Amino acid sequence: MKKLFNVFAFVLASFAFSACMSTTGGGAVGADRSQVMLVSEATMNQQADSSYAEVLAEAKSSGTLNPNAATTARVRNIANRLIAQVGVFREDALRWNWQVNVIQEDTINAWCMPGGKIVVYTGIIESLNLTDGELAAIMGHEISHALKEHSREQASKQVLSSIGVSVVSEIAGLGDLGNLALALGVQYGLTLPFSRKCETEADNMGTELMARAGYDPHEAINVWNKMNALGGSSTPQILSTHPSNDSRIKNLTGVAETVYPLYISARH
């Protein structure tokens, strides 16, 4: 199996070598990590636009799309302050067709699709009783996923994984059981830790965005303290696509101190 993984690594490196790039500048948190991008930005944006239209159409049909004008205005105001700061990571994002909507639903979630398509569910606002700063932390995190094009990067890595597994399987003459073992090894050795890396990266970038927008970055820590109080998944961190709440709190404590001077500057 060790030899197979060596072959697998070689295959991935061969395909990825010519596709390495960074989608963002570093900012204060050093977000200029090199990424593998095999899937085109246009493809991801087209899929995102289509999916976003479907989500909004369904919410509109059910009467849950922006039903409370005050809540929608609050979310859009915070989003606009954050969006005004995205140029620190990528100038082109200032010209994206940003859209921000609220869906009345108990779901504790928010997201930002490629190209700047944002949805915030009222469930996360109400369940955590979010302040504007805490909501800015959550939205900044989601915006950062889009800025760094994590969806595109994940899709590209999935393409690489599929290519690698197929090639190694063919070379080694693996049966179904061998294919499964190799695929699971890839998932738990590569895909999940990589997803956790993306989450931490979005935490860091989002905290910088909120600080530059005039929100105290320490409020990002409050979000995860509230998540702990609310209760969450018992899935061990090593098997999860997200860092544990405690890991995020520890990381964000350091990040908040790093970007705090940006917050002070924004307030004056």
Side-chain angles (χ1 to χ4, degrees), residues 100-250:
V100 184
N101 288 283
V102 177
I103 293 180
Q104 182 76 38
E105 190 176 297
D106 290 339
T107 302
I108 302 177
N109 199 15
W111 42 260
C112 180
M113 286 185 177
K117 307 298 186 292
I118 300 172
V119 160
V120 176
Y121 295 92
T122 55
I124 195 167
I125 299 173
E126 296 167 357
S127 295
L128 299 181
N129 191 26
L130 295 175
T131 65
D132 283 1
E134 291 162 357
L135 184 51
I138 291 170
M139 295 177 69
H141 170 97
E142 300 303 332
I143 287 170
S144 296
H145 277 309
L147 294 175
K148 195 64 182 176
E149 296 189 72
H150 284 147
S151 295
R152 181 182 170 203
E153 187 177 10
Q154 292 280 36
S156 297
K157 291 188 76 69
Q158 189 64 44
V159 169
L160 277 178
S161 296
S162 298
I163 292 172
V165 169
S166 296
V167 172
V168 172
S169 177
E170 185 69 24
I171 292 172
L174 297 176
D176 291 342
L177 186 59
N179 286 337
L180 177 60
L182 184 59
L184 288 175
V186 171
Q187 179 182 5
Y188 291 113
L190 176 65
T191 307
L192 293 181
F194 177 80
S195 296
R196 293 195 294 272
K197 180 190 294 184
C198 288
E199 288 300 316
T200 300
E201 195 166 48
D203 280 349
N204 297 350
M205 292 172 63
T207 305
E208 179 168 348
L209 285 178
M210 68 181 292
R212 290 181 179 276
Y215 297 102
D216 187 340
H218 294 94
E219 293 208 63
I221 302 168
N222 296 348
V223 172
W224 297 103
N225 283 321
K226 287 186 174 184
M227 283 288 194
N228 270 338
L230 187 65
S233 172
S234 59
T235 302
Q237 177 173 335
I238 194 170
L239 300 180
S240 173
T241 59
H242 288 58
S244 69
N245 294 350
D246 289 339
S247 292
R248 298 181 102 146
I249 290 169
K250 181 178 180 180

